[in-house]
């Protein structure tokens, strides 16, 4: 059972920045694509972005392109989600997930992720 632990959520004003972290085991970090999803109350889970550390490929959801950046630290087995220019509509529970899907066109779908963290709340005040 792979374990993912998110941290870094909180309350931030619109226009501000926040960085989320997702700590994984060494095996998870090296064998899976690591992604971020978010879910706001009453809405479906939304793809934020995913990184495949083995080849460096990164894919972002349309709503966060240009504002959010995913990166990783292999020494710490940690993936980061740097969020800038935050908007009230970014308010959601953000979850880290691990996918064994090889091709990036699968990364958009939550069903392709086998392991999930517990989620961390991000609230953007306007």
């Amino acid at each position: 059972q792979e374990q993912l632990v998110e941290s870094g959520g909180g309350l931030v004003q619109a226009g501000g920045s926040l960085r989320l972290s997702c700590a994984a085991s060494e095996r998870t970090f090296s064998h899976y694509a690591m992604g971020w999803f978010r879910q706001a109350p009453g809405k479906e889970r939304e793809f934020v972005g995913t990184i495949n550390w083995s080849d460096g490929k990164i894919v972002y959801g349309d709503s966060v392109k240009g504002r959010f950046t995913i990166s990783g630290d292999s020494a710490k087995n940690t993936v980061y989600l740097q969020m800038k220019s935050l908007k009230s509509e970014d308010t959601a529970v953000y979850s880290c997930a691990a996918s064994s899907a090889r091709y990036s066109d699968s990364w958009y779908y939550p069903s392709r992720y086998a392991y999930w963290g517990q989620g961390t709340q991000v609230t953007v005040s306007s």
Side-chain angles (χ1 to χ4, degrees):
Q1 181 73 21
E2 306 293 346
Q3 288 191 328
L4 306 173
V5 181
E6 303 101 332
S7 61
L11 175 64
V12 62
Q13 289 189 333
S17 300
L18 205 60
R19 189 179 79 162
L20 306 182
S21 300
C22 174
S25 67
E26 181 179 0
R27 179 182 183 280
T28 302
F29 191 84
S30 60
H31 286 77
Y32 292 84
M34 302 295 294
W36 290 94
F37 284 80
R38 67 185 184 184
Q39 189 165 22
K43 294 189 176 181
E44 292 187 355
R45 185 171 282 173
E46 179 186 11
F47 174 72
V48 175
T50 290
I51 181 171
N52 187 347
W53 188 252
S54 62
D55 62 10
K57 187 173 181 63
I58 303 175
V59 176
Y60 294 100
D62 289 341
S63 62
V64 305
K65 282 180 182 177
R67 298 189 300 122
F68 291 10
T69 302
I70 293 177
S71 62
D73 185 336
S74 58
K76 296 181 179 180
N77 300 319
T78 298
V79 174
Y80 302 100
L81 179 65
Q82 178 68 52
M83 304 183 291
K84 297 181 179 180
S85 303
L86 283 162
K87 308 174 184 178
S88 58
E89 51 263 44
D90 294 318
T91 295
V93 174
Y94 285 71
S95 297
C96 176
S99 173
S100 60
R102 180 177 179 182
Y103 298 106
S104 60
D105 57 357
S106 296
W107 294 348
Y108 297 90
Y109 307 102
S111 61
R112 299 309 307 268
Y113 292 78
Y115 304 105
W116 292 81
Q118 80 285 358
T120 185
Q121 176 70 46
V122 171
T123 302
V124 183
S125 63
S126 57

